Structure formats: structure tokens, C-alpha cells
Amino acid sequence: MSAPADEPGNPAHAIFERFLRARECQEVLGCFGELCQRLGLQGNGLQLYHGLKDSLNYWSAKALWSKLDKKAGHKDYNQGTACASTKCLVVGAGPCGLRAAIELALLGARVVLLEKRDSFSRNNVLHLWPFTIHDLRALGAKKFYGRFCTGTLDHISIRQLQLILLKVALLLGVEVHINVHFKGLVPPTGKAGGQGGWRAVLQPGSSPLSHYEFDVLISAGGGKFVPEGFKRKETRGKLAIGITTNFINRHSQAEVEVAEISGVARIYNQKFFQNLYNKTGIDLENIVYYKDDTHYFVMTAKKQSLLKKGVILQDKADIESLLSPENVNQDALLSYAKEAANFSTNYRLPDLEFAVNHRDLPDVDVFDFTCMTRSENAALVREHNGTRVLLGLVGDCLVEPFWPLGTGVARGFLAAFDAAWMVRRWAAGTPPLEVLAERESIYQLLSQTSPDNTNKNISQYSIDPATRYPNINLQAIKASQVRDLYLVGMVEVDHKRKSDNRLSTAVSGDTYEELLSWCQASTAGYHGVAVTDFTTSWTSGLALCALIHRFRPDLVDFDSLDRQDPIRTHQMMLDTAEQELGIQPVLSSTEMATMAEPDRLGLITYLSQFYEAFKTSPEAEEVSKKPLSPRGTRGAILFLSKLQKSRNLTHKRVQDSAQKDSEAKRSRRDTELDAGLDGDTLDGAYEPPQTTTMDPGQLPARGESSDACYFCGRRVYILERASAEGRFFHRGCFQCRQCGATLRLGDYTFDEEDGHFYCSLHYPNLPSMDLPRDEPPALPDGDAAATHPPSDAGSPCVSPEEGAPGLPQPLQAAPQPAGEPGAVEDAADAGNMEKQELLAQPQGDVMEEEGPRPDPQGAAVEGEESRSRRKIILTPLEKLSLSTLNLTSGAEPEPPPKPARLRLQAAPEVLPAPWRGQDAWEEEEIAVEEGRWLQAGEEEEEEEEEEGTDLGIMAESCLDLGEEEKYPTWKRTLTRRAREAQMKRFCKAQAIQRRLEEIEVTFRELEQQGIKLEKLLRDEEGTLADQKTQWMNQLLYLVQKKNSLMSEESDLMITVQELKLEEQQWQLDQKLRCYMNREESLKTPEDRAAEQKILVQLLDVVNKRNVLIHMQEEKRLSELQA
């Protein structure tokens, strides 16, 4: 053995330092092999680690050993003996496979890791949750990569993460073999045959590992590789095409100053993407930008945009063929990605040059994530000839991550910890079925995990699931439920997918007869009403009136109905049910009044919605004198229906007001030019359109037929049918007239003059928000933004959708005198139209309203005196003003206390505007409260570690001062929190978007089944009555499924409204701080006026959020009561 490595001149020091700094996989393996040879060390596992630690005693190595010793000393590892007799094979050297191998090594197992590649070449950047940052620091990540998550960074490239984990794994004795492909398992033949354990089929077959026998196999080979015996299930959304690209990062000052984009989504920031499309023709759903070794962009592109820009050469139905290399123009793809990157960063990244991938080609990739797959179970046991092997999954082959959520590596690490805990239990002799049941109980939680619902004390995380998942029930699944996961003998894999038997198995009972009986009982006792069928009994409209009156007598005056006009009666009831109960019409009033036999299916479908909303016995309802509300499943639809109605009224008032203003201005101008011109002629010319718009009942093509689509004119079957503004159509045809965006209930506008539907951004006759073609979007950072601070509408960081600051917001929601019933004060009646109008103010279109503007300061005083909720609402602004005073103080203050939470929980939005250009590396780490980041002692260690690290240029991009100052730690803490809030908003929006797309796909499947049933039911010839009843019950089952999906969709759309308000509040807060942080003596009168205007707008948004949350709380209570 060579001399001790701490002696002067020992070359082991230099080899170890080269190992620490190695930047390629083969270089790491080569340096480690050379180090072990120099030190004369052999073997594996923790024995090798202790040999390295004893041989390398100089100061730099000892700092790393102290961290690893602290990690290995945890009680879960039992001093490295918990799995001392266990032999493991890990397939895949991705981040999750390496992380699992490290945990198994710490448990004392022998760990062999296979990787089919010989290089780490993925530049793509991963978002890290707080616990993953803490976990990697505990493994000594900064010793290997000094720039790891310094400052406010919370991401790392896949390649760098793999290098860090590979080095740790090697030091802990993991045997790593590259260029080896895993092809399957070889069952044991028995000890008599010379093979007593499980082995792997490898390529090349000459690999010495072909004879390695193991007890545990952990697969981390990616989503396309899953060992035999595991079943996969798939969730499918609409076509989703992703693009990733990496540009060379030269770490220049100009590059450092460009702000990252934690995520911007069309669902709440439509204006930015509309500006992008107007200028470049690029149409995206979202975009993310991170800086690491490269400038990394990832985006979701729309297929039509890719076709128009020539990226995709031919449109094909098959996704694999659509994105095949021969159907993608690489040059057009490069241009597309580069233009999107330039526009989103305001063209501030100088000389963008593509990084190269492992094939020495520009690092741009286009991929499909329409289908997301996951394993039905996380582990199984196979037994053959009396020998068992435990199989576990981690990483993408367990749950394929949805990239916009940034959950891949975090949930992958959690799964790695869970797998290690499973192996620990296996090695301890726990019965196999108990091991599997416990693993599946933990696996149930994985897909729902987030930084918010996992334990906050991340410093205590370990492989023990109780340290990570609060209130976990490890016996949620019993051993008897996982018997099918214990496989004996050879496994026959059935690759065929299960057929959908929902129609034949899910329908139970006679739904048709139940519905008829319920209608009869609910309408009994009403004069002139006798329900015997679903045709002639309903033509007069009295039966429908009686049904509504039974449950909501406050909505219908049954005795005053005009029995001679059934069409009018039906129209009134249809409108009442839609606006007050959230029940969408299926037939027109004319069809209801005539009720021909073919319309019977539509009536049954319509009445089934009442049944679902009020399906309790009439006797039970008579006990309560209070009118019943629809069950929670329809509450969201009701809320969106009212919101949509008030939004339409608001747009109409704005349109009429703008028309009158234009008319008056034109009249005055013409009078000045020609004193002899009679102004009455001009006024008279505008009377007809005013008359038309003021009477929404005079609508062409309303209420005639529900069978023809309002947009395409083709047949609309019952399960396909959707309605809005009295028009019936296919769900797929409900699109914005101008941009073709998909419209949904509660998120559209309707022009009664031209009869067209629009998204909120393209509603006609409103001030346009589009940027000029030659004007790039202004970012809330950097010099351009500092020169003109308000001109940020259209950037991804300051939402374009929420309005241009140059135009004042509508002021219906502004603070009112104490004597007037304000929208927020009227908390007793959540359905009050004032609240709906408050929420319905145009969010994407900001326009000027007639009348004097109330004084914000006076409004604040009134709010203090009126003892209303306005006093609470103003509290964060007062706190904001107080915290602003600290920004310019001479001495650095202590980190401010956590801001008080309002009912609307808007704490993240009342933070100082994030100075986002600081993503160069800093010397200090940030200690954040609540245990989510580093403890004080660990922060001191990090400061020591960062000595000697290359420091980037600190970019002080404060909007208001534009001058550099010392960057206090508490400011960086607030910056980090603000970025967390932005990332959380983006992830929530992407989860909603994905679920909406999955719902849309499920809708199409239901529609296809419903069309078949409807055709069968309409064909009466030669069909037995029992068969038709069965088909009817099946159709009603599909209707119930559709209604349930509509309710879920409406719940999601309410959350979308909330996200839009959160985004708007965040932007306004930034603008307000821009002005408030200026010296009062330096403010111009225009600055003060703009500051007061933004303050009023901010109050307006807070009021809207308050109302929305109050509505959601009432909906929740109604669901509990139901």
C-alpha cells in the first residue's frame, strides 16, 4: 500500500481534486479508478468508502467526509448494516437511479449499477424543490459543483446533477458499469444446476456481470423500459407538442441581467402569447426559461403554428409519424425555437448560439407528451425454484412526469427513498406481502405530493416515509389486496390493453323508471300537471315550472304563469334553470313546447340534471322551509353561469358607453367644422344599433333547433351538445371567432350584434391591447423597463392579460361610501349580482369609464371608518407601505416577519417586487423560516464551501432606483419566495390545463358511445322494449358521467379565474412598488397620479379575489351539507 495520502507531495491529492472537478462521465470513472489504484484500494461498498476516508486526510477531503459521515450516521442506516447481506442491481444512471443506489449503499447493501450510455449529455434543466436542494447539499453537492443552487437558483441541469450523484455513489462503493444494456431477468435453475439466484440478461453477453446474482432489482431505466410483470396505465390529453432548446451560456454581464421565466401560461396570461403570435407567428401554450450551464427554454407549441412555420412538413393523424425526423424541418425548428427565446426575453440575450448535444448537433428537440403513463404498482415479488427477487420502480418508469409541473426529480427522489425503505424492510425479514402492501400504501401518495403537502421540516427527511408524508397510513392497503403482486414461476406478459366495459358493467338498476317516478313525485299536487311520460306531459311548460317551484319556490310564481304561451313559459324556465340552478338547456323552448317523439331523449337528458341536483324525496324537502340549493356538483356551473351573464352585461355597458362617447366626440367635431350641420342627423343614425343592443331578447337564430350546430350546421347529438346564450353546438366548435381559442363556460364573451363568440382578449369594440408589430414586450427588469416602468403589458413577467397601465381600470369595485352596499360587504348573499359584476370586470381588456374617479386616499379613510371588510383588505397595503420604508434605510434590517394572511391568503403577492436578474452566484446562502431551507449552522458551512468559487456579476435590476446597492439577505429571501409563488401559480395552471385536456378527451369518448346509443334508440323498427330500456339506461349513465365531468371542468375554470386575479395582483404590486420606492421629492405629478391609479386597481383586484374566495367557501359548505 502506498504512503498515506496526507503526506506532502502525494499525487493522490491531485487525482482526488481532478475527480471532484471532472465534467464528463468517463473522466469521473477514469479518475476514480486511478485514485483507487494509487491508494491500493479494492472492494466495494462502505468498506471502500472507509478506505478512502482513511487515506485522504487533507483539509479539502475531510470537509466532504464530514458531510457524508453525518449522512451515513442516521439511525435508519443502522451504521451501514441494515442491508449488509443484500445484493442489489440498479438499472439506469439517471438522477433517480443514482439517488436510489446511494441510499442502498448507505444501508450497507452491495450495489451494482448499469448504464447503457457512456456519457451524460442532457443539458435540459430540472426544477428542484426545497427538500431536494437540502438533500443534495447534505451529500456534498457544492464540493463537486460550487455553483449549485447559490443565491435564488432552484434548478440544475440533468448532466450536472448526474455528475454530482455519480461521484457520491462511487465514493460510497457503488459499482458503476457503462455501455451495458439490461435485457431481462434469468430465473434461477436451482442449486443443483449451479445457479441459485436471479441474474440479468445483459448486452454484451460477455460482461462479467452476467454471472452476478442479486436479491433486489431497482429499475430506473426510463418510461420506455419496465420489467416484466408490471402493468402500465395511460392518461391521454389533447395533442401536446413540446420543444426544448439549449443555448450557450457565456456568463456575460448582459446574460446575467436577463431575468429567468419560472413559467408563464396562456391560461392566465393570454396577452403575452397573443403578442408573440402577432409578431412572430409562433403560437405557444406556455414557456419556461432557466439559466444554468446553458440558457434552457422549454415550451408547448400548437400544431397549426408548427405547420404554418414549416416546422412540421405534413399534417398526419399518427403522432409518431407527425413528429418523425423525416417530417420535421430541422432548420425551421431551430428558427422557431430561437425566435421564441428571443421574444420571451425581450431580445436581451446577445448572440444566441445553440449548444450542441451528444451527436454534435444543435441541442433542440421536439417531443410528444400527449399520453402520460404510470405503473399501476410500484413493486412486485417474483419467486422461482424457491428463490425470491424483489422488483421496484423509480423515476420515469414508475410515474412519467408532466414536465410543466417541475415535479420529475422531486417525486423521483421521493420514490428512491421509498424504494430504499422497502429494501430495508425486505432485508429485515418482513413478510413479502407486508412489504408490498406498505410500498403500495406509500405509492398512493406520490402523485399528489407537492412542497405544500409534504412535511415542512425538510432537515429531518430520511428514507422513513413518516418523516416526509404527514399523517401517512402505512396500512392503507392490506396484504390480502396485493396477492397478485407476488408472482410464482414464469411470467406471461399480456400486452393487450383492457377493453372498456363501462357500458355493460357500470349501469345498474332502472334509471329510466327511477327518473320518471321522481318527476311524478316532485310535481304531484300541482294544478294542471300530470306526468305520465316524457313527451306530452311536458309540452305546456307547467310540469317544468312545477318541478322548479317544488325545490326553489322563490324562483317561480306558479299561479301567475301564462298557460296560453307555452314557448314563452319554457324559455323563462330554461333561462331560470341556467342562471339560478346552473342547469344547461338541452332543447330549445320551441322543441320543449312541441315535444315530438324524437325530442324525448333530449328531455330525459335535461331532466336528469334536475334529478342529480335535487335527488332527495319531496317529503324530506317539505320539512325544510328554506329553498334548496343545487348540490355541490352543480355549484360551480351555477357560479360560472352567473359570472358569464354579468360579464356579458358589463361588456355590453362598456360597448354602449364607448359608442356614446364616440358619437358625442364625432358630433362635437362635426359641429366645430360645420356650424350649420344639424346634429340630430348624426344622433338618429345611431339609434337603431342602440335599440338592437339594448334588447337581448331580439336575437336571430335563438331557440329554433337544438339538433343543428350553431357554428358548423351539422347534426348535434345529445352527448355532443353544449349551449351558451341560447345557441346549441358541438363542444369542439365552441371557439373564439378571431383566434380560434377553445372557449369554456365562464370564460367567453358574446357579441349580440354579430352573434359571434370571442375570448376575452378579442371581444370587439373594445380598446385593443395588442402591441405594435415592431414593438417587443417590455420586461419588468433591466434598463428598458427602468426607463419606462409602466410599459410592461405584454411581457411574460408582467401579465399582458390584466391590462395596460396606461388605461384605467373599471371602478365598480372601488371602495364605496359606507352607506352604500358594496360588493364585498354583502357577504350574506353570495349570489348577489353586484358580486358577480365585480368579478366580471374585463380582465384582459382595461377601459376607461365615465364619471369622476374616486380618490384612493379618501376611499381608504372611508374603509377605516365603515367597519367593513375594506379595513382588512387595506391592511396588506399598509404593511406594504411600512415595509417599503425599509428598502431605503441605511442599516440592513432584520428579516421582516411573515406578512399577515388575509382571508384570500395573498401573502406571496404583497412582497417586494422580485429583483430577478441576480441569478449569478453569491457568497451567502439564504436561511428561510419554517425549516424549508438551510439551518443557520448549515448556512455557515455553505459560506465556507463557497470560498474560492467563481462569482458572477450581481445584477441589481431594481425597477425604481436603477442603482446598485448591497443586496441584503432578507431581500433575497423575499425574492426567492416571490419566485416560489410564481412557480406555484404556473404549476397549478399547467395541472389545470392538463386536466382540462384529459376531460376533453373523455368527453369525446363519451360522445362516441352516446351517438351510437342515440342512433339505436331512434331506430324503433324491430327493437324489443326491454332492449330499448337497457339502451336508455346506458345513455342516462353516460349523461351522468358527462354532467360529472362538466362540474369538474367548471370547478377548474373557477380556479382559472382565481389564477388570473393572482397574476394581476402580482403585477400591480410590482408596479406600485416601482413608484413607492422612489423618493417623494423625485416624483412628478404624472408619477403620483399613476401611483394612485395603480393603488385603486390593486384594491379592485383584492376585492374580486375576496368575493371569489367567499363564493368558493359557500360552495364548499353547500357540498358538505349535501
Side-chain angles (χ1 to χ4, degrees):
M1 193 170 183
S2 61
D6 56 342
E7 291 184 1
N10 195 308
H13 292 184
I15 299 174
F16 186 67
E17 291 299 322
R18 282 197 290 114
F19 167 76
L20 294 180
R21 289 166 174 73
R23 297 176 58 85
E24 299 294 338
C25 174
Q26 295 189 56
E27 182 185 1
V28 171
L29 294 174
C31 288
F32 187 75
E34 183 182 352
L35 178 65
C36 291
Q37 184 178 5
R38 168 67 63 177
L39 297 176
L41 298 176
Q42 295 180 351
N44 52 62
L46 294 180
Q47 179 183 0
L48 177 63
Y49 167 71
H50 291 303
L52 288 168
K53 187 173 65 171
D54 293 339
S55 301
L56 298 171
N57 290 324
Y58 73 105
W59 66 271
S60 181
K62 289 173 67 176
L64 177 59
W65 305 142
S66 65
K67 279 190 170 293
L68 295 179
D69 284 344
K70 182 179 179 181
K71 180 72 175 178
H74 195 279
K75 60 182 179 63
D76 288 345
Y77 306 122
N78 196 19
Q79 299 299 318
T81 62
C83 299
S85 60
T86 304
K87 293 187 290 183
C88 304
L89 178 67
V90 179
V91 179
C96 299
L98 286 165
R99 191 65 190 85
I102 290 171
E103 290 300 324
L104 295 175
L106 289 170
L107 286 166
R110 180 185 177 186
V111 185
V112 174
L113 185 144
L114 308 179
E115 171 55 45
K116 63 182 180 181
R117 302 180 181 88
D118 59 4
S119 63
F120 297 153
S121 57
R122 290 183 288 177
N123 291 315
N124 294 354
V125 178
L126 299 171
H127 173 69
L128 301 178
W129 289 5
F131 93 85
T132 53
I133 297 176
H134 184 276
D135 175 69
L136 290 167
R137 280 179 172 145
L139 293 174
K142 292 186 71 66
K143 287 297 179 184
F144 307 107
Y145 183 52
R147 299 179 296 198
F148 173 74
C149 286
T150 53
T152 60
L153 294 183
D154 57 1
H155 47 75
I156 189 173
S157 69
I158 298 176
R159 186 178 67 84
Q160 286 291 356
L161 181 57
Q162 286 178 284
L163 288 172
I164 292 171
L165 294 174
L166 174 63
K167 294 171 185 177
V168 176
L170 291 171
L171 292 176
L172 293 176
V174 175
E175 302 174 48
V176 179
H177 299 264
I178 59 175
N179 293 320
V180 178
H181 292 241
F182 177 86
K183 294 297 183 180
L185 289 171
V186 179
T189 58
K191 295 183 179 179
Q195 179 191 345
W198 289 79
R199 296 186 302 178
V201 180
L202 303 177
Q203 185 181 2
S206 58
S207 172
L209 293 176
S210 299
H211 303 287
Y212 175 62
E213 297 180 356
F214 48 87
D215 313 302
V216 176
L217 171 68
I218 301 297
S219 173
K224 295 182 180 180
F225 172 76
V226 180
E228 292 181 350
F230 288 93
K231 298 178 181 179
R232 309 284 287 175
K233 56 184 177 182
E234 175 185 282
T235 58
R236 177 177 291 272
K238 296 169 64 177
L239 177 63
I241 301 175
I243 297 176
T244 60
T245 182
N246 287 274
F247 299 97
I248 295 175
N249 186 356
R250 300 177 179 85
H251 304 288
S252 65
Q253 180 173 356
E255 290 170 297
V256 169
E257 290 175 349
V258 178
E260 291 184 334
I261 304 172
S262 298
V264 57
R266 176 184 291 272
I267 199 169
Y268 62 81
N269 204 338
Q270 186 180 0
K271 187 57 195 305
F272 165 74
F273 294 98
Q274 187 61 44
N275 288 337
L276 171 63
Y277 180 77
N278 290 343
K279 184 174 179 62
T280 66
I282 294 173
D283 203 3
L284 304 179
E285 287 288 347
N286 52 48
I287 189 168
V288 173
Y289 162 50
Y290 285 144
K291 274 182 287 191
D292 203 81
D293 288 343
T294 61
H295 295 288
Y296 169 68
F297 292 83
V298 58
M299 62 202 79
T300 303
K302 293 189 177 182
K303 183 180 72 171
Q304 291 302 321
S305 170
L306 295 173
L307 286 168
K308 290 181 180 179
K309 298 287 286 185
V311 177
I312 297 178
L313 301 178
Q314 293 182 351
D315 191 4
K316 299 182 180 181
D318 179 61
I319 300 176
E320 187 174 349
S321 301
L322 181 73
L323 301 181
S324 61
E326 56 271 16
N327 197 43
V328 174
N329 184 326
Q330 288 297 321
D331 291 336
L333 177 61
L334 297 179
S335 176
Y336 191 98
K338 188 171 185 178
E339 185 62 23
N342 272 321
F343 183 91
S344 61
T345 56
N346 206 3
Y347 299 89
R348 294 172 59 198
L349 284 175
D351 301 326
L352 280 181
E353 181 180 347
F354 288 100
V356 295
N357 57 23
H358 61 285
R359 296 186 296 269
D360 290 328
L361 297 174
D363 195 355
V364 181
D365 189 27
V366 58
F367 61 97
D368 162 56
F369 60 100
T370 302
C371 299
M372 311 300 296
T373 60
R374 57 175 293 152
S375 176
E376 291 187 359
N377 51 284
L380 57 84
V381 173
R382 291 186 61 180
E383 179 181 338
H384 192 78
N385 288 336
T387 304
R388 298 168 178 165
V389 63
L390 175 65
L391 308 179
L393 306 180
V394 298
D396 290 3
C397 63
L398 179 62
V399 178
E400 190 174 3
F402 181 49
W403 73 260
L405 300 184
T407 58
V409 68
R411 290 177 180 168
F413 276 25
L414 290 174
F417 298 159
D418 297 336
W421 180 257
M422 174 184 68
V423 175
R424 184 183 188 274
R425 298 273 287 160
W426 174 268
T430 307
L433 289 180
E434 291 186 18
V435 173
L436 292 174
E438 184 178 273
R439 179 68 187 95
E440 297 308 313
S441 298
I442 301 170
Y443 179 46
Q444 284 186 326
L445 303 177
L446 185 63
S447 294
Q448 286 75 43
T449 53
S450 71
D452 295 328
N453 59 23
T454 48
N455 283 332
K456 296 296 185 277
N457 192 0
I458 60 177
S459 63
Q460 299 300 315
Y461 278 21
S462 73
I463 61 174
D464 186 350
T467 64
R468 294 174 277 120
Y469 308 112
N471 305 318
I472 186 174
N473 180 10
L474 296 178
Q475 285 79 43
I477 295 180
K478 305 301 181 183
S480 59
Q481 298 175 266
V482 295
R483 294 186 185 277
D484 60 328
L485 301 182
Y486 192 102
L487 308 178
V488 179
M490 302 301 292
V491 177
E492 294 183 4
V493 183
D494 183 10
H495 296 285
K496 296 181 180 180
R497 297 186 60 182
K498 295 180 180 180
S499 60
D500 189 355
N501 296 320
R502 288 177 294 179
L503 286 179
S504 59
T505 60
V507 180
S508 61
D510 194 339
T511 310
Y512 176 84
E513 291 297 333
E514 288 179 9
L515 178 61
L516 181 58
S517 300
W518 179 80
C519 290
Q520 291 171 337
S522 300
T523 58
Y526 284 88
H527 178 67
V529 178
V531 174
T532 59
D533 54 28
F534 288 113
T535 52
T536 57
S537 299
W538 301 84
T539 54
S540 68
L542 297 180
L544 183 57
C545 294
L547 187 63
I548 296 177
H549 185 270
R550 171 58 60 96
F551 301 104
R552 289 295 301 272
D554 57 314
L555 299 179
V556 179
D557 186 357
F558 186 81
D559 296 329
S560 65
L561 293 173
D562 183 2
R563 301 170 186 245
Q564 304 301 318
D565 192 351
I567 295 180
R568 181 178 179 183
T569 300
H570 275 294
Q571 188 62 58
M572 182 173 65
M573 291 302 99
L574 291 175
D575 292 341
T576 299
E578 181 177 11
Q579 297 166 10
E580 301 297 336
L581 303 178
I583 295 176
Q584 300 296 303
V586 178
L587 298 171
S588 68
S589 58
T590 303
E591 292 168 327
M592 294 278 286
T594 56
M595 196 50 64
E597 181 65 24
D599 296 326
R600 183 172 66 102
L601 298 178
L603 177 63
I604 293 173
T605 302
Y606 183 58
L607 294 177
S608 69
Q609 299 183 68
F610 287 89
Y611 179 66
E612 288 298 313
F614 300 110
K615 57 180 177 183
T616 55
S617 63
E619 292 78 9
E621 287 147 13
E622 289 175 359
V623 176
S624 176
K625 298 180 180 179
K626 183 178 179 180
L628 293 178
S629 297
R631 290 171 177 264
T633 55
R634 309 218 65 80
I637 298 177
L638 170 61
F639 172 76
L640 289 177
S641 178
K642 289 188 173 185
L643 176 61
Q644 190 62 59
K645 179 182 177 182
S646 57
R647 177 179 287 130
N648 290 343
L649 292 175
T650 301
H651 280 299
K652 187 171 182 56
R653 285 199 300 267
V654 172
Q655 183 176 347
D656 291 344
S657 175
Q659 187 174 4
K660 291 178 181 178
D661 289 345
S662 176
E663 174 187 341
K665 292 177 181 178
R666 185 178 303 177
S667 176
R668 288 195 300 269
R669 185 174 66 250
D670 292 346
T671 300
E672 293 173 358
L673 294 175
D674 187 358
L677 181 63
D678 186 2
D680 294 337
T681 304
L682 183 63
D683 292 338
Y686 281 82
E687 287 178 4
Q690 291 178 7
T691 302
T692 302
T693 58
M694 291 181 65
D695 186 3
Q698 305 296 325
L699 294 177
R702 176 188 174 97
E704 295 299 329
S705 173
S706 61
D707 288 339
C709 176
Y710 178 72
F711 297 102
C712 70
R714 294 194 298 270
R715 175 72 176 271
V716 185
Y717 291 91
I718 290 175
L719 262 294
E720 297 179 295
R721 197 169 298 172
S723 66
E725 308 298 328
R727 278 73 174 169
F728 298 91
F729 42 79
H730 301 98
R731 285 178 54 88
C733 293
F734 194 32
Q735 297 178 347
C736 173
R737 170 75 173 181
Q738 182 168 335
C739 68
T742 299
L743 302 179
R744 292 183 173 90
L745 181 64
D747 197 26
Y748 70 87
T749 57
F750 178 68
D751 191 338
E752 294 178 354
E753 288 188 359
D754 60 19
H756 296 315
F757 291 85
Y758 300 89
C759 63
S760 58
L761 192 66
H762 292 125
Y763 187 72
N765 303 319
L766 295 179
S768 174
M769 291 288 298
D770 292 342
L771 287 178
R773 293 266 179 171
D774 57 347
E775 180 183 345
L779 290 172
D781 311 87
D783 299 334
T787 307
H788 304 287
S791 62
D792 47 17
S795 74
C797 305
V798 174
S799 170
E801 184 174 310
E802 279 30 83
L807 297 170
Q809 284 271 30
L811 297 176
Q812 286 90 337
Q816 304 173 7
E820 299 181 10
V824 180
E825 290 176 311
D826 191 10
D829 182 11
N832 188 288
M833 186 57 68
E834 291 183 6
K835 289 188 174 184
Q836 304 299 336
E837 291 182 5
L838 180 65
L839 284 170
Q841 300 305 322
Q843 297 174 8
D845 309 285
V846 183
M847 47 218 101
E848 190 164 353
E849 204 169 90
E850 293 180 336
R853 183 179 307 280
D855 180 26
Q857 295 179 349
V861 174
E862 289 171 359
E864 293 287 342
E865 295 175 351
S866 63
R867 299 182 183 178
S868 69
R869 286 189 178 83
R870 294 196 193 90
K871 180 176 180 179
I872 299 176
I873 293 172
L874 289 175
T875 299
L877 297 178
E878 295 171 359
K879 289 180 177 291
L880 183 148
S881 299
L882 293 174
S883 64
T884 303
L885 298 177
N886 293 331
L887 297 177
T888 55
S889 60
E892 179 176 331
E894 295 293 326
K898 187 177 181 180
R901 288 186 180 271
L902 298 179
R903 272 192 321 120
L904 52 82
Q905 298 184 354
E909 281 74 23
V910 296
L911 300 173
W915 294 269
R916 300 167 47 118
Q918 75 288 1
D919 93 317
W921 316 298
E922 308 168 31
E923 293 188 41
E924 281 188 325
E925 291 302 320
I926 302 171
V928 178
E929 299 171 340
E930 301 179 345
R932 298 181 62 188
W933 299 94
L934 298 177
Q935 304 299 322
E938 293 171 325
E939 182 179 357
E940 293 177 1
E941 294 176 7
E942 297 299 335
E943 290 177 354
E944 294 176 3
E945 288 179 357
E946 287 185 313
E947 291 180 2
T949 302
D950 294 335
L951 299 178
I953 301 172
M954 179 62 58
E956 185 69 40
S957 54
C958 182
L959 291 178
D960 52 310
L961 299 179
E963 59 184 16
E964 295 186 0
E965 61 179 6
K966 179 175 173 59
Y967 211 69
T969 300
W970 72 272
K971 285 186 182 180
R972 298 200 305 270
T973 302
L974 294 177
T975 300
R976 188 191 295 269
R977 289 180 178 175
R979 291 185 60 189
E980 286 177 358
Q982 185 184 28
M983 185 65 186
K984 186 183 299 183
R985 187 160 55 247
F986 175 72
C987 290
K988 184 185 292 186
Q990 293 310 300
I992 291 173
Q993 183 68 36
R994 177 68 185 185
R995 182 55 190 153
L996 288 174
E997 292 173 353
E998 292 173 356
I999 288 175
E1000 198 65 37
V1001 172
T1002 307
F1003 265 128
R1004 287 200 294 266
E1005 295 174 354
L1006 293 177
E1007 288 168 1
Q1008 292 172 2
Q1009 298 173 27
I1011 290 172
K1012 294 178 182 179
L1013 286 172
E1014 187 175 347
K1015 289 180 178 179
L1016 291 173
L1017 286 167
R1018 291 182 183 273
D1019 183 12
E1020 299 181 358
E1021 297 181 4
T1023 303
L1024 298 176
D1026 291 344
Q1027 181 65 62
K1028 296 197 70 172
T1029 301
Q1030 182 181 357
W1031 289 338
M1032 179 62 71
N1033 289 333
Q1034 292 174 351
L1035 181 64
L1036 288 175
Y1037 168 74
L1038 295 180
V1039 169
Q1040 292 172 359
K1041 293 283 289 182
K1042 175 187 175 182
N1043 292 341
S1044 176
L1045 288 173
M1046 287 182 62
S1047 298
E1048 182 183 358
E1049 182 183 53
S1050 298
D1051 282 327
L1052 294 174
M1053 292 308 299
I1054 290 178
T1055 308
V1056 169
Q1057 301 297 327
E1058 187 176 6
L1059 287 175
K1060 290 181 178 181
L1061 292 173
E1062 287 180 11
E1063 179 76 6
Q1064 188 176 4
Q1065 181 175 343
W1066 178 75
Q1067 296 157 19
L1068 290 172
D1069 178 73
Q1070 286 194 99
K1071 297 176 188 177
L1072 185 61
R1073 286 186 175 277
C1074 170
Y1075 290 106
M1076 296 182 71
N1077 289 345
R1078 293 182 179 181
E1079 293 289 343
E1080 193 66 28
S1081 59
L1082 300 178
K1083 294 181 182 178
T1084 65
E1086 291 77 11
D1087 290 340
R1088 294 187 179 91
E1091 181 179 345
Q1092 296 302 324
K1093 180 180 66 177
I1094 294 173
L1095 177 60
V1096 172
Q1097 293 176 338
L1098 187 58
L1099 286 171
D1100 180 41
V1101 173
V1102 172
N1103 285 349
K1104 291 179 183 179
R1105 292 190 64 192
N1106 243 356
V1107 172
L1108 185 60
I1109 290 176
H1110 184 76
M1111 295 285 188
Q1112 291 177 303
E1113 179 65 15
E1114 286 204 343
K1115 175 179 173 294
R1116 185 186 67 84
L1117 294 176
S1118 69
E1119 291 174 348
L1120 292 177
Q1121 293 171 0

